[in-house]
């Protein structure tokens, strides 16, 4: 608001006549009446929220809400800006059947035409409480949206099933919630139970902020594992699966998850929850999420995660990542990202800390806990190093600008992911933190590290769940207290510049160098096999879905790009043979000696064509190789803390 007024003032000084004179054409219509901005004062009533999930086969959630403390000109809001999504992704299109009554009489509502998440309610004078009924239409298939419910389990995210009064901080609105589940289902949540009878559970009253940060996972096949049997604060792994066979967890697998909790405590030296629940779906029927909350997290993986443990290493940084968020992102939150309620826009300028450093600690804690081996961590960094070394998007777009990606294009498919850039603050962010960690270690001759920063920055207010925000300057100050250095310049060089070299200093200073061989690491092979993809990104420049040969990504400026092969193209044949991942890989290898282009028959819609890829360098897969001239700082970083 202030900026645009200032701009008009400057314009009118320079061009007074042009700005002030009326011109031909329509006039702008008046804006809609302003909405009450959130105030930090107690809401004078409460929300009684009753959610019924028993209509699970139809994926319809029935919601009844009794709102007391109603005042004239009530505006009800449906949460729009979702924490963890960093984006205006509240699924307003799934709210249906809205009916509001007061003392049994219907009350009219009208949606604000500009802010379609706001409902203006015309309650009669003197009415103090209203009843609100609506249905949340959870997706019936993946075509409509990520499935949240199946005949065997459900994910209940409270922001999808609540309307709340405008004008208050979310932490000032009390909610008493009840939840009805299908017969015989168990649930997990950070919420505390007040009472339970049959299928209906009443939770202890909480603020709207705590409710929305405390989703529920429930299901027919469930197991609850204690991850800190001797600790003062309970931490549990709440498993929900499509079938009971997926719930078998071996002792060594449980041990690694328990070690994750202890390694996190050694790193952060605090906790910021009353108890913590890893809500974990092992399912192909509901979406496989990763979403952080302060006292719980939403996690999803393949049903085979525990039974096919050795092949699925790549996925095991998920829990370390989401657990780290309890400290980095939830307890300590960027000041411009924190909002008083869910309908005030978020700003994402520090996501390279919120997500970048969390990605870094996710990798490190995965290795320190034994969920990963050291080699797994090296192989992950090898993939990222190779990707960012080749990234063409960095030629035009600074890393800082990618922090807007959740708002620009929240995880919708993209045609040119590497040239457009896609949320690079996660993995390029992690490389910057490896750079910072190894720099602190080098400058302090091994006496200090990023662990010291983590303890100082996240280890404050042990036991408190109250959010503490921070700015860029707070971050720089905290790093300076660990290791005096021009950290502001360090970050600006890596965040704001375009066409800069890839951030590879951390790997080099960690004692490794990037090499390519014709064989993928076990880690990468596990990932590609699990996704059923042929990954030829670092050779011909293609990533292909092996189920039918459809290209899922083409690297900009790669040999495949030059042959006009784009995302969505189907590869039918390779050098005259029907497509398979192996046939294509063999052709890439053979072209090395034959020096003949790889000939593909392609299909786009109803159109067939032949393309020739001119590439003769063979298969290329990234690895990190030890450089003995530099101390093995990376090995120290990923070693378990005693
Ligand atoms: Zn994250």
């Amino acid at each position: 608001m202030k900026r645009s007024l200032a701009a008009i003032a400057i314009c009118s000084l320079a061009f007074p006549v042009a700005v002030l004179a009326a011109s031909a054409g329509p006039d702008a219509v008046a804006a809609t009446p302003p909405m009450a901005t959130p105030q930090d004062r107690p809401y004078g009533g409460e929300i009684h929220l009753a959610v019924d999930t028993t209509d699970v086969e139809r994926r319809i959630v029935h919601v009844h809400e009794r709102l007391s403390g109603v005042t004239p000109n009530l505006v009800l809001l449906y949460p729009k800006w979702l924490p963890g999504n960093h984006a205006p992704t509240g699924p307003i299109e799934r709210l249906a059947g809205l009916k509001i009554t007061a003392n049994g009489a219907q009350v009219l509502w009208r949606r604000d035409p500009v802010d379609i998440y706001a409902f203006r309610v015309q309650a009669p004078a003197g009415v103090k409480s209203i009843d609100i009924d609506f249905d949340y239409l959870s997706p019936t298939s993946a075509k409509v949206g990520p499935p949240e419910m199946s005949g065997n389990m459900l994910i209940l995210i409270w922001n999808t099933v609540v309307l709340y009064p405008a004008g208050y901080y979310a932490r000032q609105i009390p909610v008493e919630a009840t939840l009805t589940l299908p017969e015989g289902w168990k649930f997990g949540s950070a919420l505390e139970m007040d009472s339970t009878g049959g299928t209906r559970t009443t939770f202890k009253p909480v603020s709207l902020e705590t409710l929305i940060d405390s989703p529920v996972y429930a299901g027919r096949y469930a197991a609850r594992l204690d991850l800190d049997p001797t600790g003062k604060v309970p931490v549990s792994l709440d498993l929900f699966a499509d079938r009971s066979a997926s719930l078998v967890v071996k002792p060594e697998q449980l041990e690694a998850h328990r070690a994750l909790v202890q390694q996190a405590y050694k790193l952060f030296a605090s906790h910021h929850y009353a108890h913590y629940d890893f809500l974990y779906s092992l399912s192909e029927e509901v979406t496989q999420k990763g979403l952080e909350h302060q006292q719980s997290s939403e996690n999803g993986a393949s049903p085979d995660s525990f039974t096919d443990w050795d092949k699925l290493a790549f996925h095991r940084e998920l829990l370390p990542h989401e657990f780290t968020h309890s400290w980095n992102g939830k307890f300590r939150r960027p000041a411009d990202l924190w909002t008083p309620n869910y309908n005030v826009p978020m700003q994402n300028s520090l996501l390279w800390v919120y997500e970048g450093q969390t990605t870094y600690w996710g990798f490190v804690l995965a290795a320190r806990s034994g969920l990963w081996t050291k080699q797994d961590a090296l192989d992950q960094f090898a993939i990222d190093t190779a990707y960012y070394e080749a990234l063409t998007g960095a030629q035009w777009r600074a890393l800082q600008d990618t922090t807007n990606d959740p708002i620009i294009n929240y995880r919708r498919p993209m045609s040119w992911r590497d040239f457009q850039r896609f949320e690079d603050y996660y993995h390029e962010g992690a490389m910057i933190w490896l750079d910072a960690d190894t720099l602190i270690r080098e400058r302090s001759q091994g006496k200090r590290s990023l662990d010291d920063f983590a303890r100082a920055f996240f280890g404050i207010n042990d036991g408190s769940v109250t959010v503490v925000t921070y700015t860029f300057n707070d971050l720089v100050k905290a790093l300076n207290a660990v290791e005096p250095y021009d950290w502001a310049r360090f970050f600006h060089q890596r965040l704001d510049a375009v066409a800069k070299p890839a951030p590879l200093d951390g790997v080099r200073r960690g004692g490794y160098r990037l090499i390519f061989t014709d064989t993928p690491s076990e880690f990468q092979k596990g990932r590609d096999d699990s996704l059923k993809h042929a990954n030829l990104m670092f050779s011909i420049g293609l990533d292909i879905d092996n189920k039918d040969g459809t290209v899922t990504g083409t690297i900009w400026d790669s040999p495949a790009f030059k042959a006009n092969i784009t995302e969505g193209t189907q590869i039918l044949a390779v050098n005259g043979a029907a497509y398979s991942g192996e046939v294509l890989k063999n052709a890439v290898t053979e072209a090395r000696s034959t020096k003949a282009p790889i000939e593909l028959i392609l299909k786009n819609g109803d159109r067939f064509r032949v393309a020739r890829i001119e590439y003769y360098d063979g298969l290329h897969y990234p690895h990190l190789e030890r450089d003995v001239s530099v101390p093995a700082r990376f090995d120290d970083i990923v070693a378990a803390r005693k």
Side-chain angles (χ1 to χ4, degrees), residues 116-143:
I116 49 119
Y117 284 79
F119 298 86
R120 295 179 189 277
V121 179
Q122 297 158 25
V127 160
K128 291 278 173 259
S129 125
I130 55 171
D131 291 282
I132 306 163
D133 287 275
F134 65 92
D135 294 327
Y136 171 66
L137 307 179
S138 187
T140 44
S141 78
K143 215 162 60 180

Short mmCIF file of all heavy atoms in Angstrom, two decimals, residues 116-143:
data_model
loop_
_atom_site.label_atom_id
_atom_site.label_comp_id
_atom_site.label_asym_id
_atom_site.label_seq_id
_atom_site.Cartn_x
_atom_site.Cartn_y
_atom_site.Cartn_z
N ILE A 116 -12.18 -14.74 -2.25
CA ILE A 116 -13.17 -15.81 -2.34
C ILE A 116 -13.07 -16.80 -1.17
O ILE A 116 -13.86 -17.74 -1.08
CB ILE A 116 -13.06 -16.56 -3.69
CG1 ILE A 116 -11.61 -16.94 -3.98
CG2 ILE A 116 -13.61 -15.70 -4.82
CD1 ILE A 116 -11.39 -18.39 -4.11
N TYR A 117 -12.12 -16.58 -0.26
CA TYR A 117 -12.02 -17.39 0.95
C TYR A 117 -12.81 -16.78 2.11
O TYR A 117 -12.81 -17.31 3.21
CB TYR A 117 -10.55 -17.53 1.38
CG TYR A 117 -9.76 -18.50 0.52
CD1 TYR A 117 -9.28 -18.14 -0.73
CD2 TYR A 117 -9.48 -19.79 0.99
CE1 TYR A 117 -8.54 -19.03 -1.51
CE2 TYR A 117 -8.74 -20.68 0.22
CZ TYR A 117 -8.28 -20.29 -1.02
OH TYR A 117 -7.55 -21.18 -1.79
N ALA A 118 -13.48 -15.62 1.86
CA ALA A 118 -14.18 -14.91 2.94
C ALA A 118 -15.68 -14.94 2.69
O ALA A 118 -16.14 -14.71 1.57
CB ALA A 118 -13.67 -13.47 2.99
N PHE A 119 -16.44 -15.24 3.75
CA PHE A 119 -17.90 -15.31 3.67
C PHE A 119 -18.49 -14.27 4.62
O PHE A 119 -18.26 -14.33 5.83
CB PHE A 119 -18.38 -16.71 4.07
CG PHE A 119 -17.86 -17.80 3.17
CD1 PHE A 119 -16.60 -18.38 3.38
CD2 PHE A 119 -18.61 -18.23 2.08
CE1 PHE A 119 -16.11 -19.38 2.55
CE2 PHE A 119 -18.13 -19.24 1.24
CZ PHE A 119 -16.87 -19.80 1.47
N ARG A 120 -19.24 -13.33 4.05
CA ARG A 120 -19.91 -12.32 4.88
C ARG A 120 -21.25 -12.90 5.33
O ARG A 120 -22.04 -13.35 4.51
CB ARG A 120 -20.11 -11.03 4.09
CG ARG A 120 -18.78 -10.37 3.73
CD ARG A 120 -18.96 -9.10 2.93
NE ARG A 120 -17.68 -8.63 2.43
CZ ARG A 120 -16.82 -7.89 3.15
NH1 ARG A 120 -17.13 -7.52 4.37
NH2 ARG A 120 -15.67 -7.53 2.63
N VAL A 121 -21.46 -12.89 6.64
CA VAL A 121 -22.63 -13.54 7.24
C VAL A 121 -23.60 -12.48 7.74
O VAL A 121 -23.20 -11.58 8.49
CB VAL A 121 -22.19 -14.46 8.40
CG1 VAL A 121 -23.40 -15.14 9.03
CG2 VAL A 121 -21.20 -15.51 7.89
N GLN A 122 -24.85 -12.59 7.31
CA GLN A 122 -25.85 -11.59 7.72
C GLN A 122 -26.70 -12.15 8.86
O GLN A 122 -27.87 -12.47 8.68
CB GLN A 122 -26.71 -11.23 6.51
CG GLN A 122 -25.90 -10.56 5.40
CD GLN A 122 -26.56 -10.67 4.03
OE1 GLN A 122 -27.77 -10.82 3.92
NE2 GLN A 122 -25.74 -10.61 2.99
N ALA A 123 -26.09 -12.27 10.05
CA ALA A 123 -26.83 -12.79 11.21
C ALA A 123 -27.77 -11.70 11.74
O ALA A 123 -27.41 -10.54 11.77
CB ALA A 123 -25.85 -13.21 12.30
N PRO A 124 -29.01 -12.11 12.14
CA PRO A 124 -29.94 -11.11 12.69
C PRO A 124 -29.37 -10.45 13.95
O PRO A 124 -28.56 -11.06 14.66
CB PRO A 124 -31.19 -11.94 13.04
CG PRO A 124 -31.02 -13.25 12.36
CD PRO A 124 -29.56 -13.47 12.15
N ALA A 125 -29.80 -9.22 14.23
CA ALA A 125 -29.32 -8.49 15.42
C ALA A 125 -29.61 -9.32 16.67
O ALA A 125 -30.65 -9.98 16.77
CB ALA A 125 -30.01 -7.13 15.50
N GLY A 126 -28.70 -9.29 17.59
CA GLY A 126 -28.90 -9.98 18.87
C GLY A 126 -28.46 -11.42 18.87
O GLY A 126 -28.35 -12.03 19.94
N VAL A 127 -28.18 -11.98 17.69
CA VAL A 127 -27.74 -13.39 17.63
C VAL A 127 -26.31 -13.50 18.16
O VAL A 127 -25.43 -12.76 17.74
CB VAL A 127 -27.85 -13.92 16.18
CG1 VAL A 127 -26.98 -15.13 15.99
CG2 VAL A 127 -29.29 -14.23 15.86
N LYS A 128 -26.10 -14.38 19.11
CA LYS A 128 -24.77 -14.51 19.72
C LYS A 128 -24.04 -15.78 19.26
O LYS A 128 -22.83 -15.90 19.42
CB LYS A 128 -24.91 -14.56 21.26
CG LYS A 128 -25.36 -13.25 21.86
CD LYS A 128 -24.16 -12.30 22.04
CE LYS A 128 -24.58 -10.92 22.48
NZ LYS A 128 -24.63 -9.93 21.41
N SER A 129 -24.84 -16.72 18.72
CA SER A 129 -24.18 -17.96 18.30
C SER A 129 -24.85 -18.52 17.05
O SER A 129 -26.07 -18.38 16.88
CB SER A 129 -24.19 -18.91 19.50
OG SER A 129 -24.77 -20.12 19.18
N ILE A 130 -24.04 -19.07 16.16
CA ILE A 130 -24.59 -19.62 14.91
C ILE A 130 -24.11 -21.06 14.74
O ILE A 130 -23.09 -21.47 15.31
CB ILE A 130 -24.17 -18.79 13.67
CG1 ILE A 130 -22.64 -18.65 13.60
CG2 ILE A 130 -24.84 -17.42 13.68
CD1 ILE A 130 -22.14 -18.03 12.31
N ASP A 131 -24.88 -21.80 13.94
CA ASP A 131 -24.48 -23.17 13.59
C ASP A 131 -24.10 -23.19 12.11
O ASP A 131 -24.82 -22.66 11.27
CB ASP A 131 -25.64 -24.13 13.84
CG ASP A 131 -25.90 -24.30 15.32
OD1 ASP A 131 -25.14 -25.04 15.97
OD2 ASP A 131 -26.83 -23.63 15.83
N ILE A 132 -22.97 -23.82 11.85
CA ILE A 132 -22.45 -23.86 10.48
C ILE A 132 -22.31 -25.33 10.10
O ILE A 132 -21.68 -26.10 10.82
CB ILE A 132 -21.06 -23.18 10.41
CG1 ILE A 132 -21.12 -21.76 10.98
CG2 ILE A 132 -20.51 -23.18 8.99
CD1 ILE A 132 -19.76 -21.18 11.33
N ASP A 133 -22.91 -25.70 9.00
CA ASP A 133 -22.75 -27.07 8.48
C ASP A 133 -22.15 -26.99 7.08
O ASP A 133 -22.57 -26.16 6.28
CB ASP A 133 -24.10 -27.79 8.40
CG ASP A 133 -24.59 -28.17 9.79
OD1 ASP A 133 -24.19 -29.24 10.28
OD2 ASP A 133 -25.35 -27.37 10.38
N PHE A 134 -21.18 -27.84 6.82
CA PHE A 134 -20.70 -27.97 5.44
C PHE A 134 -20.02 -29.32 5.27
O PHE A 134 -19.78 -30.05 6.25
CB PHE A 134 -19.77 -26.82 5.03
CG PHE A 134 -18.46 -26.73 5.77
CD1 PHE A 134 -17.31 -27.34 5.29
CD2 PHE A 134 -18.35 -25.98 6.95
CE1 PHE A 134 -16.10 -27.23 5.95
CE2 PHE A 134 -17.13 -25.87 7.62
CZ PHE A 134 -16.01 -26.49 7.13
N ASP A 135 -19.76 -29.67 4.02
CA ASP A 135 -19.02 -30.90 3.72
C ASP A 135 -17.67 -30.52 3.14
O ASP A 135 -17.56 -29.56 2.37
CB ASP A 135 -19.77 -31.75 2.69
CG ASP A 135 -21.08 -32.28 3.25
OD1 ASP A 135 -21.14 -32.55 4.47
OD2 ASP A 135 -22.04 -32.40 2.47
N TYR A 136 -16.67 -31.27 3.52
CA TYR A 136 -15.37 -31.18 2.86
C TYR A 136 -15.28 -32.37 1.92
O TYR A 136 -15.31 -33.52 2.36
CB TYR A 136 -14.23 -31.18 3.88
CG TYR A 136 -12.88 -31.31 3.22
CD1 TYR A 136 -12.39 -30.30 2.39
CD2 TYR A 136 -12.11 -32.46 3.38
CE1 TYR A 136 -11.18 -30.42 1.75
CE2 TYR A 136 -10.88 -32.59 2.73
CZ TYR A 136 -10.43 -31.57 1.93
OH TYR A 136 -9.23 -31.71 1.28
N LEU A 137 -15.22 -32.08 0.61
CA LEU A 137 -15.23 -33.14 -0.41
C LEU A 137 -13.79 -33.52 -0.73
O LEU A 137 -13.16 -32.97 -1.62
CB LEU A 137 -15.97 -32.65 -1.65
CG LEU A 137 -17.39 -32.10 -1.39
CD1 LEU A 137 -18.02 -31.62 -2.68
CD2 LEU A 137 -18.27 -33.16 -0.72
N SER A 138 -13.30 -34.46 0.04
CA SER A 138 -11.93 -34.93 -0.15
C SER A 138 -11.83 -35.63 -1.51
O SER A 138 -12.79 -36.28 -1.95
CB SER A 138 -11.60 -35.91 0.99
OG SER A 138 -10.26 -36.27 0.96
N PRO A 139 -10.69 -35.50 -2.23
CA PRO A 139 -10.62 -36.04 -3.59
C PRO A 139 -11.01 -37.52 -3.68
O PRO A 139 -10.54 -38.33 -2.89
CB PRO A 139 -9.15 -35.84 -3.96
CG PRO A 139 -8.72 -34.69 -3.13
CD PRO A 139 -9.46 -34.82 -1.84
N THR A 140 -11.86 -37.83 -4.66
CA THR A 140 -12.29 -39.22 -4.86
C THR A 140 -11.28 -40.00 -5.69
O THR A 140 -11.33 -41.23 -5.76
CB THR A 140 -13.66 -39.25 -5.56
OG1 THR A 140 -13.64 -38.28 -6.63
CG2 THR A 140 -14.77 -38.90 -4.60
N SER A 141 -10.37 -39.29 -6.38
CA SER A 141 -9.29 -39.97 -7.10
C SER A 141 -8.14 -38.98 -7.25
O SER A 141 -8.30 -37.78 -7.03
CB SER A 141 -9.76 -40.42 -8.49
OG SER A 141 -9.76 -39.31 -9.37
N ALA A 142 -6.99 -39.51 -7.68
CA ALA A 142 -5.80 -38.67 -7.84
C ALA A 142 -5.99 -37.63 -8.94
O ALA A 142 -5.27 -36.62 -8.99
CB ALA A 142 -4.59 -39.55 -8.14
N LYS A 143 -6.97 -37.85 -9.83
CA LYS A 143 -7.24 -36.89 -10.90
C LYS A 143 -7.74 -35.57 -10.31
O LYS A 143 -7.47 -34.50 -10.83
CB LYS A 143 -8.32 -37.49 -11.81
CG LYS A 143 -8.16 -37.16 -13.26
CD LYS A 143 -8.95 -38.09 -14.15
CE LYS A 143 -10.43 -38.06 -13.86
NZ LYS A 143 -11.21 -38.95 -14.69
#
